[in-house]
């Protein structure tokens, strides 16, 4: 077999992993975020000022926010269930040290702190969990698209061939979910009245970079005979085309139907598509082609997975629009977000409860077809991860209220602390103070140029695969390559962020 055939076989015919293992892995990014925030607060407590050095800030962010994820999906994957416990214990130890020192200084009982925490008011204009969710989906995807070509990346984490739940299967749906959370229909102010099809016109213009990237990827992959997993999207299709067409189709539907009923449209699309899969020959066509032997004759036959999975991704996108609208409802108090956290938990439990009979009555989860169980699974996992980020952020808000004047990048701003805290010397930071400090932050850096980060990761992945025999690499060499690759991508984003450069011209 040629090197191209070996790499294609290496990522083909896989069956995914358990739902529990993926859920355990999803707890790692929020714990990394919490750990980074607690370390910054502890540093402020000891030195009286935030980390001002851009070099130290980048190294800290990379080592705490990115490096643990590289280890967890490679050499530490056999103990993936223990890693969240270790990280949680480390966070608890840091918090205990912060609390013991602030308690000694302020002499405030814990019960009083909890009461004041619930009354604290947060900046309603910014929800950091949404930004962090979108950035981490990008980071995890960037790690996986290169790591999957190395033997240290477990085959169960790679995309399943037909049925199954691999970690990379979730990444595709999470990208759709994250994009919908910040789409124009969600960000539009409720009191502003605009023509119904104005958003559609903007989307038509805004998706051309995705189409251009899709064409560029298609031409480059074919020209250098890069290894491909054909059953993923088809011969000519790729994820850039899927993302562009889903955004256009969703904008059209949301111009016709009220956006606050997006969940009903999503449910209708998902159910109707599943009925077609279950009652017609569509499923056989997607899995086996028009002749039943996997033929790829004609454009539709050659790209059947990418074209028909659009319906499932469209349902995910529309449901995510509903989630975005719900999240952006004005909740200015910690108590309101604690209630919202309960709502997210109920939604996750409801989707998990729906998934089991859905799989039993129809078929297992299939990213290849983007069927109804796949939609329910993606939404459940994305809401779970989003809920974890909200919980981590609220934990950091609680800790920040213990330490006067400290700040954490990409964390909620307390715009109106309780009056009693001022009397006891534990005042929260006033609005605008954090902006003036302008602490360096890797999350903000990636967030400013997310599409460029993803594009750079794809280009670097191709370069590494061309230059290196990834299949036969040793563990130490693999870790060096993955860390170097991720650090280079992060460094470029960090430099652009430091110079306030946003490469967006559409």
């Amino acid at each position: 077999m040629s090197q191209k055939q070996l790499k294609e076989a290496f990522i083909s015919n896989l069956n995914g992993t358990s739902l529990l293992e993926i859920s355990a892995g999803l707890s790692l990014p929020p714990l990394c975020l919490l750990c980074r925030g607690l370390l910054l607060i502890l540093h402020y407590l000891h030195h009286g000022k935030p980390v001002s050095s851009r070099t130290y800030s980048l190294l800290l962010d990379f080592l705490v926010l990115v490096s643990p994820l590289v280890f967890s999906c490679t050499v530490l994957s056999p103990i993936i269930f223990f890693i969240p416990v270790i990280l949680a214990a480390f966070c608890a130890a840091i918090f205990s040290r912060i609390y013991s020192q602030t308690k000694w200084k302020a002499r405030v009982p814990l019960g009083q702190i909890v009461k004041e925490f619930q009354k604290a008011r947060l900046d309603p204009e910014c929800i950091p969990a949404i930004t962090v969710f979108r950035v981490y989906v990008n980071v995890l995807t960037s790690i996986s698209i290169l790591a999957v070509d190395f033997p240290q990346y477990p085959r169960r984490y790679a995309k399943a061939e037909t049925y199954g739940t691999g970690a990379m299967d979730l990444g595709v749906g999470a990208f759709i979910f994250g994009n919908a959370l910040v789409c124009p229909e969600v960000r539009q102010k409720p009191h502003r009245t605009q023509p119904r099809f104005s958003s559609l016109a903007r989307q038509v213009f805004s998706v051309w970079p995705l189409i251009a990237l899709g064409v560029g990827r298609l031409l480059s992959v074919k020209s250098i005979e890069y290894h491909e997993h054909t059953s993923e999207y088809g011969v000519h299709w790729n994820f850039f085309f899927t993302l562009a067409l889903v955004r256009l189709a969703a904008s059209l539907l949301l111009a016709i139907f009220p956006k606050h009923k997006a969940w009903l449209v999503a449910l209708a699309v998902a159910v109707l598509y599943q009925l077609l899969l279950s009652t017609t020959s569509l499923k056989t066509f997607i899995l086996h082609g028009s002749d039943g032997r996997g033929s790829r004759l004609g454009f539709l036959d050659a790209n059947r997975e990418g074209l028909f999975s659009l319906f499932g991704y469209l349902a995910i996108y529309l449901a995510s629009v509903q989630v975005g609208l719900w999240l952006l409802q004005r909740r200015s108090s910690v108590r309101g977000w604690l209630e919202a956290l309960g709502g997210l938990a109920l939604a996750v439990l409801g989707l998990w409860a729906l998934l089991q009979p859905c799989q039993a009555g129809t078929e297992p989860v299939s990213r290849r077809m983007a069927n109804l169980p796949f939609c329910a699974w993606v939404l459940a996992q994305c809401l779970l991860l989003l809920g974890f980020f909200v919980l981590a952020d609220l934990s950091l808000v609680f800790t920040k209220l213990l330490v006067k004047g400290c700040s954490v990048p990409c964390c909620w701003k307390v715009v109106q602390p309780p009056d009693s805290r001022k009397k006891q010397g534990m005042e929260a930071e006033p609005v605008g103070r954090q902006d003036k400090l302008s602490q360096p932050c890797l999350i903000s850096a990636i967030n400013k140029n997310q599409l460029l980060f993803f594009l750079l990761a794809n280009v670097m992945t191709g370069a590494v695969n061309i230059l290196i025999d990834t299949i036969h690499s040793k563990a130490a060499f693999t870790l060096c390559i993955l860390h170097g690759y991720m650090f280079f991508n992060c460094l470029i984003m960090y430099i652009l962020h430091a110079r306030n450069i946003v490469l967006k011209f559409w």
Side-chain angles (χ1 to χ4, degrees):
M1 296 176 69
S2 66
Q3 188 74 2
K4 178 176 182 289
Q5 291 172 324
L6 282 172
K7 290 191 174 184
E8 287 175 350
F10 194 56
I11 57 176
S12 301
N13 302 313
L14 304 173
N15 299 312
T17 185
S18 67
L19 302 179
L20 183 60
E21 184 170 14
I22 293 179
S23 298
L26 289 180
S27 66
L28 297 180
L31 285 170
C32 291
L33 184 73
L34 179 60
C35 181
R36 192 277 299 254
L38 292 173
L39 286 172
L40 290 176
I41 294 172
L42 184 63
H43 178 276
Y44 186 91
L45 187 62
H46 285 170
H47 299 279
K49 62 179 181 179
V51 178
S52 56
S53 169
R54 294 189 181 277
T55 302
Y56 290 151
S57 177
L58 173 61
L59 290 176
L60 174 66
D61 281 3
F62 184 80
L63 290 175
V64 179
L65 299 178
V66 179
S67 188
L69 304 179
V70 175
F71 279 102
S72 66
C73 69
T74 51
V75 295
L76 295 184
S77 57
I79 58 168
I80 188 67
F81 289 102
F82 295 99
I83 300 176
V85 177
I86 296 170
L87 282 175
F90 185 62
C91 290
I94 300 174
F95 175 79
S96 177
R97 185 169 180 179
I98 293 171
Y99 176 68
S100 62
Q101 294 189 22
T102 54
K103 182 181 179 183
W104 178 80
K105 292 180 180 179
R107 296 184 178 86
V108 181
L110 182 61
Q112 179 66 24
I113 296 174
V114 172
K115 289 180 181 179
E116 301 296 347
F117 166 67
Q118 292 179 350
K119 296 177 183 177
R121 306 193 67 82
L122 306 174
D123 181 6
E125 299 300 323
C126 176
I127 304 174
I130 294 178
T131 298
V132 176
F133 176 93
R134 299 181 71 243
V135 168
Y136 256 114
V137 167
N138 214 330
V139 169
L140 289 167
T141 302
S142 299
I143 294 172
S144 296
I145 59 176
L146 178 58
V148 71
D149 294 314
F150 290 90
Q152 289 74 26
Y153 189 86
R155 296 300 90 192
R156 66 184 185 276
Y157 288 0
K159 291 177 181 176
E161 185 69 26
T162 301
Y163 296 108
T165 52
M168 292 186 72
D169 292 315
L170 176 62
V172 180
F175 239 105
I176 296 287
F177 184 93
N179 272 270
L181 290 180
V182 295
C183 70
E185 291 82 4
V186 171
R187 289 184 281 110
Q188 181 183 341
K189 299 296 182 182
H191 60 272
R192 291 184 181 175
T193 57
Q194 295 183 350
R196 300 191 72 180
F197 290 92
S198 62
S199 178
L200 178 60
R202 289 196 305 271
Q203 288 286 51
V204 170
F205 178 73
S206 67
V207 300
W208 75 261
L210 294 173
I211 296 175
L213 290 173
V215 172
R217 188 184 190 283
L218 171 63
L219 295 176
S220 60
V221 165
K222 298 301 181 183
S223 62
I224 64 175
E225 295 188 351
Y226 191 75
H227 63 278
E228 298 177 87
H229 190 191
T230 304
S231 63
E232 184 178 349
Y233 294 107
V235 178
H236 313 102
W237 205 261
N238 58 58
F239 183 63
F240 290 113
F241 293 141
T242 294
L243 189 56
L245 289 189
V246 164
R247 286 175 61 177
L248 287 177
S251 293
L252 177 60
L253 288 174
L254 292 174
I256 298 172
F257 300 99
K259 62 182 181 181
H260 63 275
K261 299 292 184 183
W263 71 274
L264 283 174
V265 184
L267 183 61
V269 171
V271 170
L272 288 174
Y273 176 52
Q274 184 60 54
L275 285 174
L276 287 174
L277 290 173
S278 302
T279 59
T280 68
S281 59
L282 179 59
K283 183 196 303 185
T284 303
F285 173 70
I286 295 175
L287 298 180
H288 305 294
S290 56
D291 63 354
R293 296 194 298 270
S295 66
R296 296 284 176 179
L297 302 175
F299 182 80
L300 181 62
D301 208 352
N303 303 285
R304 54 186 184 269
E305 293 91 350
L307 290 169
F308 285 101
S309 63
L310 287 172
F311 293 102
Y313 291 126
L314 177 60
I316 293 172
Y317 190 98
L318 290 169
S320 307
V321 168
Q322 190 74 61
V323 174
L325 291 171
W326 178 74
L327 286 174
L328 289 181
Q329 292 177 6
R330 294 185 70 85
R331 298 180 185 87
S332 56
S333 67
V334 168
R335 191 187 303 275
W337 276 104
L338 289 172
E339 293 173 357
L341 197 58
L344 285 173
L346 287 175
V348 171
L349 291 174
L351 286 166
W352 281 127
L354 172 67
L355 180 60
Q356 304 310 319
C358 188
Q359 289 194 97
T362 57
E363 57 191 349
V365 172
S366 173
R367 171 205 47 82
R368 188 173 176 183
M369 292 182 284
N371 56 5
L372 180 60
F374 174 78
C375 296
W377 173 62
V378 166
L379 289 172
Q381 296 283 32
C382 288
L383 289 175
L384 179 66
L385 179 57
L386 195 60
F388 282 158
F389 280 130
V390 172
L391 181 60
D393 216 6
L394 289 174
S395 301
L396 288 176
V397 169
F398 180 84
T399 312
K400 286 199 310 180
L401 289 174
L402 297 174
V403 183
K404 181 181 178 180
C406 74
S407 64
V408 177
C410 292
C411 176
W412 254 313
K413 301 174 185 177
V414 181
V415 297
Q416 185 181 340
D419 295 336
S420 59
R421 300 303 290 275
K422 297 180 181 179
K423 298 175 183 178
Q424 296 167 356
M426 299 176 67
E427 179 182 359
E429 187 173 351
V431 66
R433 173 84 172 273
Q434 292 178 347
D435 293 332
K436 293 177 182 178
L437 292 173
S438 63
Q439 286 178 254
C441 178
L442 182 58
I443 293 174
S444 298
I446 297 175
N447 183 54
K448 274 193 172 181
N449 287 287
Q450 287 213 47
L451 185 57
L452 177 64
F453 181 80
F454 184 60
L455 178 60
L456 181 61
N458 276 268
V459 172
M460 291 299 297
T461 295
V464 170
N465 270 280
I466 292 172
L467 298 173
I468 295 174
D469 179 13
T470 56
I471 297 179
H472 301 100
S473 298
K474 302 298 182 182
F477 180 72
T478 297
L479 290 174
C480 289
I481 292 295
L482 289 175
H483 277 88
Y485 151 82
M486 285 303 299
F487 186 78
F488 175 78
N489 294 343
C490 292
L491 179 62
I492 297 299
M493 298 302 108
Y494 207 75
I495 292 173
L496 293 175
H497 179 56
R499 299 183 179 182
N500 199 28
I501 299 174
V502 180
L503 296 180
K504 184 176 180 179
F505 45 85
W506 57 90

